[in-house]
Amino acid sequence: MPSTDLPIDPRLTETQSHDSERQSDDRRELPSRSLSRFDPEEEASLVSQSNAQKSQANQLFSTAQYSQAIGEYDKALSSCPNYLDYEVAVLKSNIAACYLKLEDWKSAVDSATAAIESLERLLPKKAAEKVGDADQNGGDDGVVEIEGDGEEAEKELASLKLSDQRKDDILRIQAKALIRRAKAKTELGGWGNLQGAEEDYKVLSDLPNLPVADKRVVQKALASLPALINSAKEKEMGDMMGKLKEVSFAFPPPFLAPIVLGNGILKPFGLSTDNFKMTKDESSGGYSMQFQQNN
């Protein structure tokens, strides 16, 4: 089934009003992902209904009605069986595109992440590791033995071709979701988000068959992000130091409070209160603090 995912458009339009509430993601929940399935006829009917709603959402997106498009994509998710990870991922990625247009960066990150997680279930890490091990051991790259003959062999070959096409589709949607998440994390800013964006762009740089336009976006981002990350890190370190001073002077030694509060602030940066020496000024009764680097 061909997908109707939205094209990547990193440019942003004017912020749209986003007053409508998200519909709950009440996709057809089943008792077990691995065992419970709709029968083929019912599944086909649900997928057809979901595709119709997705087409309506795509039309709304094309006319810049992004909030309304999100509502229609949610309806499509409600109709889609939740074990169809590829179809779910396409819808979630499209929702992320809507949130980018609305400049709702946090929701864009959440939707893109949901899409990526769905696709990861279709490309198990263990399977990828097995392929890598085979390559390292000198195994034939991509060589698969066809056991049948005649009509049976033709069916096996057709199945392999379909699987290859499916893998290409999965990688294509994965690339879009990664770019959308990286874009949203960059806009959110902050040390952690910028590092996350850089990680996504690094994954994208290793993906095969990435379109030329997307490669340019990735290369540009990887060139600019290190400086942004360092700037955000310095700012957050400065803010942390300010908070530490406030805590330390509010509760000077030998009280336990500054140790507990100070270490809680310092731990994410690989530091502790052991890095700071408090010296009492006997004339004023106040304290001064000196930083001591770890050896």
Side-chain angles (χ1 to χ4, degrees):
M1 180 185 67
S3 65
T4 52
D5 55 286
L6 298 175
I8 296 174
D9 182 3
R11 296 171 299 178
L12 298 173
T13 59
E14 295 181 1
T15 304
Q16 305 290 322
S17 62
H18 195 195
D19 297 330
S20 61
E21 294 183 354
R22 288 286 312 278
Q23 295 186 6
S24 60
D25 184 5
D26 57 347
R27 300 195 308 278
R28 306 263 175 171
E29 294 295 338
L30 301 175
S32 170
R33 287 180 57 86
S34 59
L35 298 177
S36 300
R37 296 287 188 275
F38 292 106
D39 62 66
E41 184 176 348
E42 185 175 6
E43 179 181 298
S45 175
L46 290 170
V47 170
S48 177
Q49 180 181 348
S50 179
N51 285 340
Q53 291 163 329
K54 178 170 63 176
S55 296
Q56 178 63 27
N58 289 348
Q59 180 62 33
L60 289 168
F61 182 93
S62 68
T63 56
Q65 299 179 70
Y66 304 120
S67 294
Q68 294 88 334
I70 290 171
E72 288 301 314
Y73 284 129
D74 276 336
K75 290 180 182 178
L77 281 168
S78 298
S79 301
C80 183
N82 68 343
Y83 56 81
L84 297 180
D85 288 312
Y86 177 79
E87 286 75 8
V88 169
V90 170
L91 292 167
K92 286 291 189 179
S93 180
N94 286 0
I95 290 173
C98 292
Y99 279 125
L100 281 178
K101 292 292 187 179
L102 293 167
E103 299 186 4
D104 186 343
W105 312 124
K106 178 64 169 61
S107 295
V109 169
D110 292 343
S111 295
T113 298
I116 292 165
E117 290 174 349
S118 291
L119 295 174
E120 286 175 348
R121 289 192 286 268
L122 299 174
L123 292 173
K125 185 176 181 181
K126 291 183 179 180
E129 289 173 350
K130 288 181 180 179
V131 173
D133 292 341
D135 292 342
Q136 292 177 3
N137 294 329
D140 294 330
D141 184 16
V143 176
V144 180
E145 182 180 355
I146 303 297
E147 297 180 353
D149 57 1
E151 184 177 349
E152 184 178 348
E154 290 180 3
K155 288 182 179 179
E156 288 187 47
L157 184 60
S159 177
L160 287 172
K161 289 181 178 178
L162 178 62
S163 297
D164 289 341
Q165 179 60 52
R166 189 66 162 180
K167 182 177 180 181
D168 289 342
D169 289 341
I170 291 169
L171 292 175
R172 177 172 53 82
I173 301 303
Q174 182 187 44
K176 291 188 175 186
L178 282 167
I179 284 181
R180 288 164 181 164
R181 185 170 71 175
K183 170 67 175 176
K185 284 188 174 183
T186 302
E187 294 293 343
L188 276 173
W191 187 7
N193 284 319
L194 292 172
Q195 282 185 317
E198 185 180 44
E199 290 171 3
D200 283 345
Y201 283 125
K202 285 180 178 179
V203 172
L204 284 160
S205 68
D206 292 332
L207 289 181
N209 303 321
L210 194 67
V212 175
D214 294 344
K215 285 182 180 179
R216 293 196 189 101
V217 171
V218 171
Q219 291 170 354
K220 182 178 180 181
L222 288 175
S224 62
L225 275 171
L228 294 175
I229 291 171
N230 286 334
S231 177
K233 177 181 177 181
E234 291 176 1
K235 181 180 183 302
E236 292 185 25
M237 287 286 285
D239 292 343
M240 175 272 297
M241 291 293 292
K243 291 178 182 178
L244 179 66
K245 289 179 181 179
E246 291 174 6
V247 171
S248 296
F249 282 107
F251 304 97
F255 298 108
L256 183 61
I259 303 300
V260 176
L261 297 177
N263 279 333
I265 297 170
L266 290 167
K267 186 176 180 180
F269 301 93
L271 302 173
S272 74
T273 50
D274 293 336
N275 293 103
F276 300 88
K277 181 180 179 181
M278 301 294 295
T279 304
K280 184 176 181 178
D281 185 340
E282 297 297 339
S283 61
S284 65
Y287 290 84
S288 63
M289 180 171 58
Q290 294 180 327
F291 176 75
Q292 298 176 324
Q293 182 68 47
N294 290 325
N295 294 327

